[in-house]
């Protein structure tokens, strides 16, 4: 009999650690036995809720927030990304943008079964292809590869009611205590925060498949 594991994944598509964490999750899923089915449900989160529509210069924002040279912070995540096969260069995408429109498409993609893949695609477009992921046409071009008609995708990112639903969900995630992303919840039983090493994800799946191991590890 197939065994199913549910993973609730909170990310933001302008979060570089989310790009790495999602890749490591997917690699751990790929290594599971064929009779294990993993259902990933993506949830919206705002890395920077106050980002203006025109975006912000990431280096300036980080320098102001942390008082450090952003290159130091970039080097760490770029190094971790390379360990997971992602040739990330954060200097190539100088601006960060609001993500409500992308999150809305991801939310609506759940019914199409393409939610997780679409999330990854939007993040990849932002970090690796250096695209403007607050642009309606850019998002529609991505969405058509994941079950949307182009006019349908454009309507979704321009629908104030759908955008408001997404916004409330993102704010609610923070109010529920999620302080940073990526954040992973396995079968509503235990959670991981951050882009953990690959072996941590593999162990998490072991615990999800065998709750007794989880009890022993937490005893």
């Amino acid at each position: 009999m197939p065994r199913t594991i549910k993973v609730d994944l909170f990310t933001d598509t302008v979060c570089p650690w989310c790009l790495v964490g999602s890749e490591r999750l997917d690699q751990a899923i790929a290594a599971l036995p064929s009779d294990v089915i993993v259902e990933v449900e993506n949830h919206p989160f705002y890395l920077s809720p106050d980002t203006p529509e025109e975006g912000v210069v990431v280096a300036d924002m980080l320098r102001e927030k942390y008082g450090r040279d952003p290159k130091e912070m970039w080097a760490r995540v770029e190094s971790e990304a390379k360990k997971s096969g992602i040739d990330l260069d954060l200097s190539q995408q100088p601006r960060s943008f609001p993500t409500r429109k992308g999150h809305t498409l991801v939310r609506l993609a759940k019914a199409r079964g393409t939610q997780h893949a679409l999330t990854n695609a939007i993040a990849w477009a932002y970090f690796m292809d250096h695209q403007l992921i607050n642009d309606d046409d850019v998002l529609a071009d991505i969405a058509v590869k994941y079950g949307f008609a182009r006019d349908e995708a454009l309507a979704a990112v321009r629908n104030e009611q759908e955008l408001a639903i997404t916004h409330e969900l993102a704010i609610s995630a923070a109010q529920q205590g999620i302080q940073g992303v990526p954040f992973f919840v396995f079968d509503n039983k235990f959670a991981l925060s951050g882009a953990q090493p690959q072996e941590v994800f593999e162990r998490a799946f072991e615990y999800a498949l065998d709750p007794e191991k989880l009890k022993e590890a937490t005893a």
Side-chain angles (χ1 to χ4, degrees):
M1 290 287 292
R3 295 169 289 173
T4 301
I5 300 170
K6 172 74 180 300
V7 178
D8 289 282
L9 173 54
F10 295 79
T11 63
D12 199 357
T13 46
V14 293
C15 163
W17 286 112
C18 296
L19 181 76
V20 177
S22 186
E23 174 63 24
R24 290 178 176 175
L25 175 72
D26 290 346
Q27 290 179 6
I29 291 172
L32 289 169
S34 59
D35 65 334
V36 177
I37 299 169
V38 180
E39 298 176 352
V40 180
E41 181 172 354
N42 289 76
H43 302 274
F45 187 91
Y46 292 152
L47 196 62
S48 298
D50 301 324
T51 302
E53 285 303 315
E54 67 274 15
V56 296
V57 177
V58 177
D60 293 346
M61 181 265 291
L62 292 175
R63 198 176 287 111
E64 180 179 344
K65 186 174 182 179
Y66 297 106
R68 296 167 52 194
D69 184 344
K71 291 181 181 178
E72 297 174 12
M73 291 176 273
W74 289 346
R76 181 166 171 252
V77 66
E78 287 168 354
S79 174
E80 288 298 314
K82 285 180 172 59
K83 292 178 184 178
S84 297
I86 304 172
D87 190 18
L88 182 63
D89 181 355
L90 291 171
S91 69
Q92 296 299 307
Q93 176 50 283
R95 300 188 75 83
S96 182
F97 302 101
T99 53
R100 184 171 56 160
K101 292 178 179 179
H103 281 312
T104 296
L105 286 173
V106 168
R107 179 172 60 80
L108 296 174
K110 181 181 178 181
R112 296 164 172 78
T114 59
Q115 195 184 47
H116 186 53
L118 177 57
T119 306
N120 290 342
I122 294 173
W124 192 270
Y126 172 71
F127 283 110
M128 307 305 291
D129 300 331
H130 323 305
Q131 295 190 36
L132 307 179
I133 59 165
N134 64 329
D135 183 271
D136 295 358
D137 289 312
V138 169
L139 286 170
D141 287 344
I142 298 170
V144 295
K145 302 173 185 176
Y146 298 92
F148 288 84
R150 196 170 194 282
D151 58 349
E152 182 184 24
L154 287 171
V157 299
R158 294 169 181 171
N159 185 315
E160 290 301 326
Q161 184 176 357
E162 294 290 2
L163 293 170
I165 293 170
T166 298
H167 180 74
E168 288 301 317
L169 288 170
I171 297 300
S172 175
Q175 291 173 340
Q176 291 173 25
I178 298 176
Q179 299 179 341
V181 287
F183 190 82
F184 310 81
V185 181
F186 291 78
D187 278 340
N188 287 318
K189 294 175 181 173
F190 63 94
L192 290 177
S193 181
Q196 299 288 338
Q198 184 70 28
E199 58 268 22
V200 175
F201 286 102
E202 292 170 357
R203 195 175 309 124
F205 281 121
E206 286 182 19
Y207 293 158
L209 290 168
D210 188 348
E212 289 303 316
K213 285 186 179 180
L214 177 61
K215 290 180 182 178
E216 292 172 6
T218 56

